Amino acid sequence: MTHAIRIERTGGPEVLQWQPVQVGEPGAGEVRLRNAAVGVNFIDVYHRTGLYPLQLPAGIGLEAAGVVEAVGEGVSEFREGDRVAYCHGPTGAYAQARVMPARVLVKLPQGIEFETAAAMMLKGLTAQFLMRRTRRFQAGDVALFHAAAGGVGLIAGQWARALGVQLIGTAGSDEKCRLALENGYAHCINYRSEDLVSRVREITGGRGVSVVYDSVGRDTWERSLGCLQPFGLMVSFGNASGAVPPVTLGDLAARGSLYVTRPTLMTHLADRATQLEMASELFDVVLSGKVRPRIGQRYALPDAADAHRALESRATTGSIVLQP
């Protein structure tokens, strides 16, 4: 019997239940695939807690890699035996096998292992749209990236180094800062022991940075704005510490004619051609060796609740992978 993690109500990690499921056959435009590795992301926590509501009961998870077992009517891009990966809806990646739309899958190059794909699809494509689409990095840029030792952060650090960008990271311990520095960051600030704004101003000779990438949210919002130079861009792409406070246009003006955006990966991936282009660039930079996604923790799929506890405690580094 095939099993999956399901939720019947929102709440803490304890609502993640390992249940038997009927997979069935793929319909028109669908494929059935067997997951070989599953990625864990903070958006999964948002779904579990109800911050991003799901229609319950529901599966959970957006990122995985595996093998196509069957294809439905009208599917010509994939066939049985293809290695594939994905990182967006519908939810339900925390499963041994599942049926899903073929349009959300991408073929996985032979040089990339399943676990690597599960560790990098959502996180790597997030780094891609942040640094290559939201604001296309140019050599010589100086930017600030919060949560530098996390899954997205470590990929971003390596990619920025390959692009010739000076990236300043933040992390919650000296150990995490060392990890960030080993993965491409020019500087890393321990936000628990150092004053973030003062250190950024010191590093940049008083100018501030041209862009801040912030997935933390409420706890870092004000300090992030304080790190920007005039006409700087604030990119808020997550709420790990809670929703950001209200911001007024007058405040942005007073701080130096700042720009603010709240982009999402799913908006970029909604267009199939864009999705394939982004994935191709990610695969190329990984196959080149310039970016090496780091798996910091592995859990058996039935132990997904333990993975969520570790992620929320901020005790993790790199990516978390679940093994079906």
Side-chain angles (χ1 to χ4, degrees):
M1 173 67 72
T2 299
H3 283 72
I5 295 289
R6 304 274 296 172
I7 58 172
E8 297 179 352
R9 59 186 176 87
T10 58
E14 70 280 356
V15 305
L16 299 174
Q17 301 295 312
W18 181 243
Q19 298 178 351
V21 293
Q22 295 290 337
V23 178
E25 296 300 319
E30 295 180 330
V31 303
R32 186 180 74 236
L33 61 90
R34 183 156 298 274
N35 285 331
V38 177
V40 177
N41 298 280
F42 233 100
I43 193 172
D44 305 343
V45 174
Y46 302 156
H47 285 145
R48 192 202 75 219
T49 60
L51 179 63
Y52 294 175
L54 297 176
Q55 184 67 44
L56 301 177
I60 193 168
L62 291 170
E63 178 182 44
V67 177
V68 173
E69 291 188 325
V71 300
E73 181 182 355
V75 175
S76 58
E77 189 175 355
F78 303 99
R79 62 183 180 180
E80 183 179 342
D82 280 349
R83 302 169 71 253
V84 296
Y86 60 95
C87 66
H88 67 112
T91 59
Y94 290 18
Q96 293 174 320
R98 65 184 300 203
V99 170
M100 63 187 308
R103 59 179 171 78
V104 306
L105 303 175
V106 295
K107 289 185 179 179
L108 189 62
Q110 286 297 327
I112 299 177
E113 299 296 329
F114 289 125
E115 277 202 342
T116 302
M120 77 177 198
M121 285 301 295
L122 191 146
K123 290 165 277 287
L125 290 179
T126 296
Q128 198 278 347
F129 89 76
L130 290 174
M131 300 191 301
R132 306 294 285 164
R133 297 179 65 83
T134 303
R135 185 184 187 281
R136 194 170 182 86
F137 270 163
Q138 303 294 329
D141 278 343
V142 181
L144 178 68
F145 207 105
H146 288 293
V152 178
L154 292 181
I155 291 173
Q158 295 176 51
W159 207 333
R161 177 173 56 192
L163 294 170
V165 173
Q166 183 179 357
L167 210 55
I168 303 169
T170 71
S173 70
D174 290 342
E175 180 182 1
K176 287 186 175 183
C177 278
R178 283 193 294 272
L179 182 61
L181 293 172
E182 292 169 1
N183 284 270
Y185 285 83
H187 306 273
C188 190
I189 300 167
N190 183 340
Y191 62 80
R192 297 186 190 278
S193 60
E194 300 178 87
D195 182 272
L196 174 62
V197 177
S198 295
R199 281 288 290 127
V200 167
R201 295 290 173 180
E202 177 185 348
I203 292 168
T204 61
R207 295 185 302 276
V209 295
S210 58
V211 58
V212 174
Y213 296 102
D214 190 341
S215 62
V216 178
R218 180 184 59 209
D219 290 354
T220 51
W221 176 257
E222 288 295 330
R223 287 176 291 171
S224 291
L225 293 177
C227 292
L228 284 165
Q229 61 188 228
F231 309 107
L233 173 63
M234 174 66 182
V235 183
S236 175
F237 69 102
N239 324 285
S241 66
V244 301
V247 60
T248 67
L249 296 181
D251 190 31
L252 299 179
R255 290 176 181 268
S257 302
L258 302 182
Y259 297 87
V260 174
T261 185
R262 180 57 170 91
T264 72
L265 175 60
M266 304 314 160
T267 307
H268 289 277
L269 297 182
D271 178 73
R272 179 63 172 168
T274 300
Q275 176 190 139
L276 294 175
E277 178 185 329
M278 292 171 63
S280 178
E281 186 173 11
L282 173 63
F283 293 154
D284 286 348
V285 77
V286 171
L287 289 170
S288 74
K290 294 176 181 177
V291 170
R292 299 178 183 273
R294 182 181 188 276
I295 300 173
Q297 300 77 207
R298 293 176 173 86
Y299 295 85
L301 182 55
D303 299 327
D306 291 335
H308 276 228
R309 292 185 185 99
L311 182 62
E312 290 182 277
S313 72
R314 300 191 185 184
T316 63
T317 58
S319 301
I320 301 174
V321 169
L322 302 176
Q323 299 167 324

